[in-house]
Amino acid sequence: NAAIDTDAREQIGHDTIEAEVSEMQQRVKDIDLALRKISKGRYGYCEKCGKAIPLRRIELIPEARFCIECESKLRK
């Protein structure tokens, strides 16, 4: 029983780390995209509606690609 519990904990730990790595890889892609947008003068604008992303959102999530309204529609 102890071996099964240990195996289960190890698998959960592995799955958690794998999910975190995947999330960080996506964030790096989003940051690279944000840097390209800066060079093109399109940084800070929603990719869906084209409106300026509120400064407070940009301060919290510099790589944000969408305004809050469009982001919430995409998540549904």
Side-chain angles (χ1 to χ4, degrees), residues 47-58:
E47 290 181 12
K48 187 166 170 74
C49 70
K51 294 179 184 175
I53 298 172
L55 181 59
R56 182 72 176 135
R57 179 166 171 78
I58 292 293

Side-chain angles (χ1 to χ4, degrees), residues 5-73:
D5 288 345
T6 300
D7 289 346
R9 278 194 294 272
E10 286 177 2
Q11 184 61 44
I12 291 169
H14 176 76
D15 292 347
T16 301
I17 290 170
E18 201 170 86
E20 289 174 359
V21 167
S22 178
E23 184 178 320
M24 289 203 175
Q25 287 172 333
Q26 183 59 51
R27 186 152 189 230
V28 167
K29 288 178 186 177
D30 290 343
I31 290 168
D32 285 341
L33 180 61
L35 292 171
R36 286 195 302 275
K37 286 180 178 183
I38 289 170
S39 68
K40 294 178 181 179
R42 291 297 305 153
Y43 177 74
Y45 293 92
C46 178
E47 290 181 12
K48 187 166 170 74
C49 70
K51 294 179 184 175
I53 298 172
L55 181 59
R56 182 72 176 135
R57 179 166 171 78
I58 292 293
E59 289 173 343
L60 292 171
I61 309 168
E63 71 277 12
R65 297 172 55 194
F66 306 100
C67 65
I68 295 170
E69 186 178 328
C70 290
E71 180 83 27
S72 66
K73 289 177 184 174

